[in-house]
Amino acid sequence: MCGIVAYIGTKNALKVLIKGLRRLEYRGYDSSGIALIEEGLRVFKKQGKVKDLVREIGDIKLRGTIGIGHTRWATHGIPNDVNSHPHVSKNSKISIVHNGIIENYQAIKTDLELRGYTFKSDTDTEVVVCLIEDIQKNSQLQIGDAVRVALSKIEGAYALVVLSEDQPDRLIAARKGSPMVLGIGEGEYFIASDASPIIEYTDKVIYLNDEEITVITREGYEIRNLQDVPQLPYIQQLDLELEAIEKAGYDHFMLKEIFEQPQSIADAMRGRLAIDAHKLVLGGIQKHAEQLVEAKKIVIIACGTSWHAGLVAEYLFEDLCRIPVEVEYASEFRYRNPVIEKGDMIIAISQSGETADTLAAIELAKSKGTIILGVVNSVGSSISRITHEGAYLHTGPEIGVASTKAFTGQLTVLIMIALRVAIRKQTISLPAYQDLLKALHQIPNKIKRVLEKNDQIKEISASIKEVPNALYLGRGYNFPVALEGALKLKEISYIHAEGYPAAEMKHGPIALVDENMPVIIIATRDNSYDKIVSNIQEIKARKGIVIAVVTEGDLLISKMADFIIEVPDTPECLMPLLSVIPLQLLSYHIALLRGCNVDQPRNLAKSVTVE
Ligand code: G6P
C-alpha cells in the first residue's frame, strides 16, 4: 500500500528513484511522483503508472543526487495529480512522501487553517508537511528536529521521508506501523518500503523499528527514537537475488510465480523435510513446539488469500492433530472481544508480513499473553519481528498482486507444522506420517504435471471469458480452494465470482445456475467424491457449464462435465496444493483474454498497510 523510495549519494537520483518506483509499483499504482534537489526543490507527480510520470518528466535534464519518490494507493482523496505525492509545504521548501494514514489529520488541519495555511490536496500527508513547516518556523528547528516534533503530534501509521531545500544534504525518514528499510552503500544510502529497490546496489540493510527516525547525509546516518534517544542499529545482510524480482522472460509476474511453484514449494521444504530419514525439522518454531502440541485451541488470523490458507489449516489441525481451530479475519478479530484462554495458540499468516489488520490483531492477542507463531514470506517484515517464533515460507518475493506461490508456500509450511504436531501427539500413526511426508515430497513434481495443462486451460478460458459470473465449488479440504479460485478470478478479471461448499449450493447459489453460468467444481477423488458427483448432476440438470478439476484417470466425471482438468492423485490433505494450480491458471488466462492488467489489477495493492 504505497511505495516509498529515497536516495542520497553520488548517482543520478532520478534514475535510482524511477527504477525503484517501478519495482515498488505493485504496492499501489494510482499515481507516482518524485522530488529532488536541483538548484532548489523540484517536484514531478502524475496520476497513473510510473510510465506516465516518466512521460511527464520527458526530456527535462535532472542531475540531482538526492531525492524522494512515491507510488500511491489512494486512501485520502481520489487518485489525481494534486493528491499525488510528494506533497510540498506552504513555503514550497519541504517535501514529503508518506505511506500510512494519519488519524488526527483533520484536527491538525483545522488548527493550521486557523493560522493561515491553505491546502491544495485532500490528503492527510499535505497536513503533515505543513505541520513540519509550522514547527520549524515557530521553533527555529533543524529539519530533523522539526520532523521529530511533528511526529509527536501525529496519531496513526506512517512511513515517511522528508526532503528540505534549506538542508539539501540530508533525508529524514521515520516509521510507525508502515514498513521501511534503510540500505547502506559506499557513500550512498537508500530508503524504501521494501528491499526490492535496494538490492542491486547493496545487500546491507537496516529494518527501521516503529517510532524510529533517522537523519541521513552522505557521510552517515543516525537513528533515534521519538524521545530523541540514539538507537543501536542492527545491520542485516540481505539474502535476495535480483533475478527473484524480475520477470525472467515471462509476460507477467503472476505467470512466472505460478510456474515457480514446483521450485518455491521445494524451497519451503528445503532443510526441513529430510525424506530419506523420514524427518521433519522446523527450527523456527522449536521453542514453542510443545505449547503447540498441548494447545487447547489454535486461532488463525490472516487476511485475503492468507486467510484461505488458514481455512485449509483448520481442516489440517483438526483432522491430523485433533486440535480445535478458529480461523479469523484479522480485521474482525482486532475489533471484537475475542475469547483467548490460557493454553490457546495463535498462528498469524501473511505473505507480506506488513498487513495492518494482521499486525493489529497480533498486538491484541499479545496483550492477552498469548504465544503467536508467524507463517510469513517476507523476511525481516514487521509480522516476522513481532511474533514470538515462526516459519518463513522461503518462496521468494511475490510481486504479482494476486497471490499464487505464497498461497502454496503457506500451505506447505502449515502442513509441515501440522504433521510435526500430529506425530508428536500421536494423533496419526508412524506409517501414516511417513506416507504423508513422502507424498509431500512428491508435490513439486506433481505440480509440474499440472502446469503441463496450461494450454488446455487457456482453451477452456477462451470459452468462458465473456461470462459475468462464475461459481466455484469444493468440499472438505477443497472448499477453501474454491474460495481462493473465486477470489483469483474476481481480483484480476473483474468477473463476479463466488466460492461455496458444494453442498451449500442448494441453499441459494443454485438459483443462479443456467446455461450461462460456469461452475468450476473441484471434484478430486476423496471421501466426498460421490456427493460431489451428485452436485455435478444437479448443476447439469440446470444446464450449467461444468468445469471440473478431477483426479487423473477419472472416467465418470469426464462423461458429465463440459471440461475437465486432471491433477495427479495425492492424499486428501495435500490436494489443495495441486487443485489450486488450474484455478490460478484459469483466472490468469481469462483476465488476459479480457485485456486486464494481470499484475496490477484495479483498486488493489499487494501489501495492505492501512486499515
Ligand atoms: C492483499 C493482497 C492479497 C493478500 C492480502 C493479505 O489484499 O492483494 O494477495 O492475500 O492482502 O496480505 P498478506 O500479505 O497479509 O498475506
Side-chain angles (χ1 to χ4, degrees):
M1 200 123 294
C2 298
I4 285 179
V5 59
Y7 175 73
I8 178 167
T10 49
K11 293 189 172 67
N12 182 302
L14 177 69
K15 285 198 181 133
V16 177
L17 296 178
I18 295 293
K19 213 173 200 188
L21 289 179
R22 288 204 164 108
R23 296 216 192 283
L24 290 171
E25 205 169 16
Y26 73 93
R27 300 177 69 88
Y29 29 83
D30 287 331
S31 64
S32 62
I34 56 155
L36 25 81
I37 301 287
E38 180 92 13
E39 294 164 4
L41 192 65
R42 302 280 302 270
V43 178
F44 300 86
K45 51 189 190 172
K46 192 73 195 152
Q47 180 185 349
K49 303 270 165 68
V50 177
K51 66 175 167 27
D52 300 303
L53 173 68
V54 171
R55 204 175 301 133
E56 174 79 3
I57 298 170
D59 294 336
I60 301 172
K61 293 273 169 287
L62 296 163
R63 293 186 189 80
T65 52
I66 178 170
I68 60 180
H70 187 268
T71 176
R72 177 172 188 241
W73 186 87
T75 57
H76 292 68
I78 57 163
N80 61 18
D81 292 353
V82 176
N83 287 333
S84 308
H85 297 219
H87 288 282
V88 176
S89 60
K90 185 167 163 260
N91 63 10
S92 302
K93 289 184 172 220
I94 311 168
S95 65
I96 188 171
V97 288
H98 165 223
N99 168 23
I101 289 184
I102 306 302
E103 279 155 12
N104 61 339
Y105 86 103
Q106 196 56 57
I108 299 173
K109 187 173 184 176
T110 309
D111 184 47
L112 288 170
E113 277 169 341
L114 287 173
R115 281 180 293 114
Y117 284 84
T118 52
F119 296 89
K120 298 192 192 92
S121 76
D122 306 317
T123 65
D124 48 350
T125 308
E126 192 184 3
V127 174
V128 178
V129 74
C130 287
L131 178 66
I132 296 169
E133 173 188 323
D134 196 57
I135 290 168
Q136 212 180 9
K137 198 168 69 191
N138 294 335
S139 318
Q140 307 301 318
L141 292 175
Q142 297 239 326
I143 186 68
D145 291 329
V147 173
R148 185 171 42 76
V149 174
L151 294 181
S152 68
K153 297 180 190 296
I154 280 172
E155 286 162 21
Y158 54 79
L160 51 82
V161 192
V162 173
L163 174 63
S164 167
E165 184 180 294
D166 285 342
Q167 285 179 279
D169 64 337
R170 63 197 54 206
L171 293 169
I172 319 297
R175 78 156 266 183
K176 182 184 174 192
S178 297
M180 181 164 268
V181 191
L182 168 62
I184 301 163
E186 297 285 326
E188 59 180 2
Y189 297 91
F190 307 81
I191 296 166
S193 300
D194 66 36
S196 60
I198 298 177
I199 49 173
E200 69 179 280
Y201 307 108
T202 176
D203 60 359
K204 285 198 198 68
V205 296
I206 296 170
Y207 289 94
L208 285 196
N209 291 314
D210 271 350
E211 305 205 3
E212 283 183 347
I213 173 166
T214 173
V215 177
I216 308 158
T217 63
R218 288 179 184 81
E219 285 71 48
Y221 61 92
E222 193 181 23
I223 301 174
R224 291 175 175 258
N225 65 13
L226 292 187
Q227 288 71 45
D228 209 18
V229 180
Q231 304 294 298
L232 207 60
Y234 170 53
I235 302 178
Q236 269 176 267
Q237 189 98 10
L238 269 182
D239 182 19
L240 191 59
E241 300 290 326
L242 193 55
E243 301 83 71
I245 55 164
E246 296 193 326
K247 282 191 207 151
Y250 284 90
D251 288 342
H252 299 95
F253 281 110
M254 183 178 176
L255 191 63
K256 175 189 170 224
E257 287 156 7
I258 292 173
F259 272 82
E260 270 174 357
Q261 288 174 109
Q263 187 58 48
S264 58
I265 290 177
D267 289 344
M269 296 191 286
R270 191 180 315 285
R272 291 165 166 172
L273 175 58
I275 194 66
D276 296 336
H278 303 301
K279 252 177 86 181
L280 191 54
V281 183
L282 286 165
I285 59 162
Q286 228 145 23
K287 268 196 276 168
H288 297 95
E290 274 315 294
Q291 272 157 289
L292 192 56
V293 169
E294 299 297 328
K296 291 212 185 82
K297 180 177 84 199
I298 295 174
V299 180
I300 295 179
I301 46 184
C303 301
T305 289
S306 301
W307 186 78
H308 293 157
L311 285 185
V312 177
E314 178 177 24
Y315 285 81
L316 282 167
F317 283 104
E318 294 195 349
D319 189 13
L320 302 178
C321 316
R322 308 305 299 141
I323 303 176
V325 179
E326 283 170 19
V327 188
E328 305 277 356
Y329 285 116
S331 55
E332 288 298 312
F333 181 88
R334 64 181 288 194
Y335 288 116
R336 286 214 325 265
N337 188 6
V339 181
I340 304 283
E341 289 167 338
K342 199 161 177 274
D344 291 351
M345 290 283 277
I346 302 265
I347 299 182
I349 309 174
S350 175
Q351 187 288 124
S352 63
E354 301 293 349
T355 303
D357 282 324
T358 310
L359 273 164
I362 292 169
E363 295 290 6
L364 173 68
K366 253 187 160 176
S367 72
K368 292 178 183 287
T370 323
I371 298 296
I372 297 134
L373 304 181
V375 173
V376 174
N377 193 30
S378 196
V379 177
S381 58
S382 303
I383 294 179
S384 71
R385 290 185 293 150
I386 65 165
T387 43
H388 293 93
E389 269 199 299
Y392 279 122
L393 309 186
H394 294 310
T395 53
E398 189 182 65
I399 312 278
V401 167
S403 184
T404 53
K405 67 172 179 172
F407 179 70
T408 49
Q410 288 163 344
L411 295 187
T412 307
V413 169
L414 291 162
I415 289 165
M416 289 191 289
I417 297 176
L419 284 171
R420 266 316 281 132
V421 173
I423 194 61
R424 178 77 184 81
K425 275 189 91 166
Q426 297 190 344
T427 41
I428 56 171
S429 67
L430 188 61
Y433 172 72
Q434 291 175 344
D435 285 350
L436 284 172
L437 290 188
K438 217 183 290 162
L440 185 59
H441 182 68
Q442 289 163 351
I443 288 289
N445 278 333
K446 291 187 177 175
I447 291 186
K448 282 187 193 155
R449 271 155 61 191
V450 184
L451 292 170
E452 285 165 11
K453 304 267 163 26
N454 186 33
D455 287 343
Q456 183 208 344
I457 295 170
K458 195 168 166 185
E459 274 171 37
I460 300 173
S461 308
S463 65
I464 57 163
K465 70 174 192 325
E466 304 295 352
V467 299
N469 300 292
L471 200 55
Y472 284 72
L473 303 177
R475 298 180 83 118
Y477 281 101
N478 281 323
F479 159 54
V481 178
L483 295 181
E484 175 60 9
L487 177 65
K488 287 291 83 84
L489 189 70
K490 60 189 152 200
E491 274 181 315
I492 60 167
S493 72
Y494 319 135
I495 294 175
H496 169 240
E498 285 192 59
Y500 256 88
E504 272 293 304
M505 174 183 72
K506 288 195 272 307
H507 302 287
I510 199 161
L512 301 170
V513 175
D514 61 14
E515 65 278 14
N516 299 316
M517 173 68 103
V519 183
I520 296 94
I521 186 155
I522 308 149
T524 47
R525 209 181 294 281
D526 57 28
N527 276 340
S528 50
Y529 179 76
D530 293 341
K531 312 262 179 225
I532 217 143
V533 168
S534 308
N535 295 138
I536 294 178
Q537 270 155 347
E538 288 154 8
I539 300 159
K540 281 319 296 174
R542 276 121 192 127
K543 301 197 172 65
I545 310 161
V546 171
I547 300 165
V549 176
V550 298
T551 312
E552 274 173 0
D554 187 315
L555 298 176
L556 181 61
I557 296 180
S558 54
K559 290 198 193 97
M560 298 156 57
D562 297 85
F563 305 97
I564 59 154
I565 305 165
E566 290 187 324
V567 297
D569 201 9
T570 194
E572 198 170 342
C573 66
L574 305 185
M575 189 48 94
L577 285 165
L578 301 181
S579 59
V580 76
I581 310 286
L583 308 191
Q584 296 169 344
L585 284 169
L586 198 66
S587 50
Y588 170 79
H589 288 298
I590 293 174
L592 208 60
L593 290 166
R594 288 165 70 93
C596 301
N597 185 332
V598 175
D599 282 336
Q600 295 174 347
R602 72 183 178 211
N603 302 342
L604 297 178
K606 183 79 190 150
S607 171
V608 181
T609 53
V610 295
E611 271 192 73

